Amino acid sequence: MAMNGISSTASRGSLQSLPDAPQPQPTGAASPQPASSTSTPGNSQTLTRMARDARPPLAQQQAAAANAKGAATGASQLNIDDKGHVQHERVLLKTAAGRETISPKIERMEMPKVNGLIVHQTNSPSVSSTLNSYAQDEANGAHFLIDKDGTIYQTASLKRKTNHVGPLRSRCAQEKSCSPEETKLNEKHNPTKENQRESKKPAGERFPSNSDSIGIELVGMAYKAKSHQETRNPDGSFNFLITTTTDGKTLKYENLSADAASQMRHEIKESKTKDKYLVFEQVTAQQNESLQWLTQQLRSEFSIPESEVFAHPTVSRKTGSEALTARWR
């Protein structure tokens, strides 16, 4: 659960991507013509010229394309009330046993603006155990919790900050866009100073932080790796079977992409050689389906670009396998 005293979790898309923005109708000679028009060269040229003249300036076209790519399309279905609680049949505020899931002890100050989403795994075995941790005094946690069967619970008001991110990593370092001066500062490998520099930057130039992001937790444990086997599928994807140090517990991963498999090999090696370095369970298909739906709804609700959705290890210094198999696109 808590890691480095920052997050309540040890705290990175399998349906179709977000729906594409409506595409402009084709223009020019190939454009559909009214049924009453005749297909003569003169009429075709006139229609082509009229369509060309009606097009917006290039700058407007580029801005529209950027907006279509960056923000989710369609209206949100979440129906957020004045308490910041979602009113939708897919998002529960109580467990089947009647336990309320909103956890006031993880809520902090008001959050006036949401600029991003952060995806976590809990390193706890169940919804119940996670809620127990959220009930502790001064507990940390995220805004949503997705069980292994895909059930979505809201755990904090969307109008309140929660501590779920931790110290920020340098965004420009990961995107290879730092100035020479900042590159030298980052090379000093001082996480505290790095977080201080990042926290002063505006949204978009830094990663989303506790102050302006919504956290989504996926129930999933993490274990220390002892050994592993891997196989390759005909489609080029990979399967892993990891034996852990916990009473012979094995972790099974299926159909990992080449990139995810490469990262998993690194995580296994790190877990074998470093103390308290763990490997997380694979996110279930049901969790990923719910994660994709919830991510789309939240992006629509808060106008969040796709570029501002991250797995926890990307934005903060966490175990790299956390949410590695999460899919929100």
Side-chain angles (χ1 to χ4, degrees):
M1 298 297 294
M3 192 171 190
N4 298 332
I6 299 298
S7 173
S8 67
T9 66
S11 48
R12 188 175 238 234
S14 312
L15 293 179
Q16 297 176 344
S17 301
L18 292 175
D20 294 333
Q23 298 299 311
Q25 291 298 316
T27 60
S31 301
Q33 298 185 8
S36 60
S37 68
T38 57
S39 183
T40 64
N43 285 342
S44 176
Q45 292 174 1
T46 299
L47 288 170
T48 300
R49 184 173 63 254
M50 292 173 63
R52 183 175 62 244
D53 294 342
R55 289 184 302 181
L58 179 59
Q60 294 181 23
Q61 288 181 312
Q62 291 173 334
N67 290 336
K69 181 179 180 181
T73 58
S76 165
Q77 304 169 14
L78 295 182
N79 300 317
I80 300 171
D81 65 21
D82 58 0
K83 295 181 180 180
H85 300 167
V86 172
Q87 303 297 325
H88 190 281
E89 62 182 4
R90 288 198 65 170
V91 180
L92 305 185
L93 301 177
K94 288 185 178 182
T95 66
R99 180 177 184 175
E100 294 187 359
T101 60
I102 295 293
S103 304
K105 290 186 177 181
I106 69 173
E107 296 178 338
R108 299 295 187 267
M109 299 172 61
E110 184 179 354
M111 182 166 59
K113 175 67 175 176
V114 177
N115 291 314
L117 308 176
I118 309 298
V119 182
H120 309 260
Q121 280 181 280
T122 60
N123 194 17
S124 64
S126 66
V127 166
S128 178
S129 61
T130 303
L131 294 178
N132 288 343
S133 74
Y134 286 6
Q136 303 299 313
D137 289 340
E138 299 182 355
N140 297 323
H143 296 83
F144 293 95
L145 178 62
I146 303 180
D147 203 356
K148 288 187 174 183
D149 65 1
T151 304
I152 304 171
Y153 300 96
Q154 186 176 359
T155 49
S157 167
L158 295 180
K159 296 187 176 183
R160 293 284 174 178
K161 303 174 186 177
T162 71
N163 291 337
H164 64 99
V165 177
L168 293 177
R169 301 178 67 182
S170 171
R171 182 164 185 169
C172 69
Q174 294 196 48
E175 297 178 350
K176 297 179 171 45
S177 61
C178 292
S179 66
E181 179 183 4
E182 188 160 9
T183 296
K184 290 181 180 179
L185 292 173
N186 288 335
E187 288 173 349
K188 294 181 179 180
H189 303 293
N190 186 324
T192 300
K193 295 290 186 180
E194 185 175 311
N195 175 63
Q196 291 173 351
R197 291 193 299 273
E198 292 300 304
S199 297
K200 295 177 182 179
K201 297 179 181 180
E205 293 184 22
R206 59 164 171 81
F207 289 121
S209 67
N210 288 330
S211 66
D212 64 350
S213 69
I214 291 172
I216 304 173
E217 290 278 11
L218 308 173
V219 172
M221 284 291 291
Y223 301 88
K224 191 162 185 60
K226 181 178 181 180
S227 62
H228 84 286
Q229 298 176 335
E230 66 176 273
T231 57
R232 185 170 183 171
N233 299 315
D235 64 359
S237 64
F238 293 83
N239 305 320
F240 285 76
L241 188 64
I242 301 176
T243 301
T244 74
T245 60
T246 306
D247 298 326
K249 170 76 175 180
T250 59
L251 303 179
K252 188 176 182 180
Y253 305 82
E254 296 180 319
N255 304 314
L256 299 189
S257 68
D259 287 343
S262 177
Q263 179 68 25
M264 182 59 71
R265 294 183 195 104
H266 172 77
E267 296 304 315
I268 293 169
K269 181 179 179 181
E270 294 287 280
S271 183
K272 288 179 180 179
T273 58
K274 292 184 177 180
D275 292 338
K276 299 180 181 180
Y277 198 95
L278 307 176
V279 178
F280 279 83
E281 294 179 294
Q282 184 170 20
V283 175
T284 70
Q286 296 94 325
Q287 284 177 314
N288 275 331
E289 190 278 331
S290 292
L291 176 62
Q292 289 170 12
W293 178 84
L294 181 59
T295 297
Q296 178 177 339
Q297 297 301 319
L298 291 170
R299 285 185 55 216
S300 296
E301 181 72 35
F302 295 100
S303 300
I304 300 171
E306 185 175 299
S307 62
E308 301 306 302
V309 184
F310 301 96
H312 196 190
T314 301
V315 305
S316 191
R317 298 179 185 277
K318 300 295 177 180
T319 300
S321 65
E322 181 190 346
L324 175 62
T325 52
R327 300 289 178 263
W328 53 84
R329 298 181 182 88

